[in-house]
Amino acid sequence: MKIINLRFHYPHYEQDKLVEVSEEVFDVLCQSVREMRNYERRKRYHQAFYSLDAYDWTENYALEYSPSPEQLVMLAEEQAERDRLAAALREALPTLLPPRLAASAPTTWEG
């Protein structure tokens, strides 16, 4: 027979409560504590702060709104094209504007 402290297993106990239990019960309680600690460690390691089973919509949202590899490539190409156009505009503005505005155009354009 082993002695356990119920305060470690049940949060509503505010004071120590020692109880004598059989070996099998002691082993099950130790195993459950070990599994809970391992679960918390894995959750912190993988930064999984909520379960996909927490809400009905979570898993569907993650699957539905995550971009496919093809969409990721297309988004990268669009961003590269926007960057090229912005660079060309920065080069062209000083030649198109009067000299006084040309000096302030780069700072205005970049924010």
Side-chain angles (χ1 to χ4, degrees), residues 79-93 109:
Q79 182 63 39
E81 182 64 27
R82 279 195 298 274
D83 292 344
R84 282 192 296 273
L85 288 173
L89 184 60
R90 267 190 234 103
E91 290 174 9
L93 273 179
W109 177 258

Side-chain angles (χ1 to χ4, degrees), residues 26-38:
F26 180 78
D27 291 340
V28 168
L29 285 173
C30 287
Q31 180 68 23
S32 70
V33 167
R34 191 176 309 117
E35 287 175 0
M36 285 189 288
R37 286 181 182 158
N38 288 341

